[in-house]
Amino acid sequence: MIRLLHLFPNLMNLYGDWGNIAVLDRALRSMGAETEVVSGDCADGVDLMGFDFVFIGAGTEKRVRQAAERLSGMRDEFHAAAREGKVMLFTGTASELVCREIAAENESFKALGLFDAVVRRTADRQTGDVLYRSGLSDRLAAGFVNKSGFVMTEEPPLFTPCFGQGSFESAGGTEVPGEGLHRGNVFATYLTGPVLVRNPWLKKIVAEELFRRAYPGAEPKAYPDEYAEKGWSVTVSELEKRMNAARNS
């Protein structure tokens, strides 16, 4: 049994990011796994160690602050889950929760600290379609970002922007190539779309890791994913056209 936890489904519910849980659950079942999806809040007394996958989706900046407050008593539990190799995905503004601190104009507050990184909130927003590459696959990641902040860190990025807005900056405030954070089985990215819906190759990486951990030595069933693959191909093709047009203008 693979247990999937969707934390804060009502508090952090922008851009249809719940779709990440839906397509992951469907993929795992198609591979032959038994699954259970649980939606909850920290107030419900959830035990991270009782789950194989933990997901938090995008929310407004105000709600990120509320989520950080609710998670404050679970920092040690999240760190233990990360060390244990639990698979965790934070998308959209929820990706800020893995950082050590989130600094806005008039305040700063602590987050989970799974990565040595600080978020600097900005008065303006950075939005738009994006195309990223990563070391996870030779395939590109497509999606959309809508954020108001940059990440200051020495941690290696999950993605490198090819087209559109990144999220890393130096201590001096200069943008540097990079977006998202990744270590072990913890993934955090501003990408929405939802990211696992728009990028079936990334969904497959996450699903196969969950299957391998739950059913060691077993072979997952092959499952058809041609519609998701076609959607990814069309999206990437269109974004590459825009990228090339921007370079040639």
Side-chain angles (χ1 to χ4, degrees), residues 102-123:
I102 300 171
E105 183 177 356
N106 298 316
E107 63 173 357
S108 65
F109 54 94
K110 292 182 178 179
L112 292 171
L114 294 172
F115 295 86
D116 185 14
V118 174
V119 176
R120 181 183 67 86
R121 288 271 175 81
T122 58

Side-chain angles (χ1 to χ4, degrees), residues 5 11-12 15 20 26 31 58 61 77 87 110 130 146-147 162 185 190 195 198 200 204 218:
L5 175 61
L11 182 70
M12 305 288 285
Y15 311 119
N20 289 306
R26 188 181 308 125
M31 293 164 71
E61 282 74 17
E77 192 173 348
V87 184
K110 292 182 178 179
V130 296
N146 184 351
K147 64 187 185 71
C162 303
N185 283 332
Y190 275 116
V195 63
R198 298 188 75 174
K204 183 177 180 182

Side-chain angles (χ1 to χ4, degrees), residues 66-220:
Q66 294 172 6
E69 290 173 349
R70 296 187 192 184
L71 293 170
S72 61
M74 298 182 67
R75 290 191 186 102
D76 290 344
E77 192 173 348
F78 268 91
H79 281 259
R83 290 193 297 270
E84 187 71 16
K86 299 288 185 181
V87 184
M88 293 185 268
L89 175 64
F90 302 77
T91 61
T93 48
S95 64
E96 297 176 348
L97 294 170
V98 305
C99 298
R100 175 168 44 85
E101 181 182 356
I102 300 171
E105 183 177 356
N106 298 316
E107 63 173 357
S108 65
F109 54 94
K110 292 182 178 179
L112 292 171
L114 294 172
F115 295 86
D116 185 14
V118 174
V119 176
R120 181 183 67 86
R121 288 271 175 81
T122 58
D124 59 324
R125 302 197 69 81
Q126 304 90 43
T127 64
D129 296 311
V130 296
L131 201 57
Y132 296 152
R133 67 169 58 93
S134 80
L136 298 174
S137 171
D138 58 358
R139 295 181 141 200
L140 296 173
F144 180 82
V145 296
N146 184 351
K147 64 187 185 71
S148 62
F150 289 92
V151 178
M152 295 177 287
T153 185
E154 296 297 322
E155 303 264 10
L158 170 59
F159 296 119
T160 301
C162 303
F163 171 71
Q165 181 70 57
S167 65
F168 275 23
E169 71 175 11
S170 68
T174 302
E175 287 188 46
V176 295
E179 200 289 317
L181 294 161
H182 170 230
R183 185 190 308 121
N185 283 332
V186 180
F187 301 83
T189 175
Y190 275 116
L191 269 181
T192 59
V195 63
L196 297 187
V197 176
R198 298 188 75 174
N199 298 281
W201 63 266
L202 183 57
K203 176 187 64 180
K204 183 177 180 182
I205 287 174
V206 174
E208 288 183 345
E209 175 63 15
L210 287 167
F211 190 95
R212 182 191 65 79
R213 288 173 61 86
Y215 303 98
E219 280 294 321

Side-chain angles (χ1 to χ4, degrees), residues 39-61:
S39 297
D41 197 313
C42 299
D44 300 328
V46 296
D47 176 11
L48 295 187
M49 290 302 182
F51 293 91
D52 303 284
F53 177 77
V54 179
F55 170 70
I56 305 179
T60 64
E61 282 74 17

Side-chain angles (χ1 to χ4, degrees), residues 25-36:
D25 179 53
R26 188 181 308 125
L28 288 166
R29 288 178 178 271
S30 298
M31 293 164 71
E34 294 184 11
T35 66
E36 179 186 13

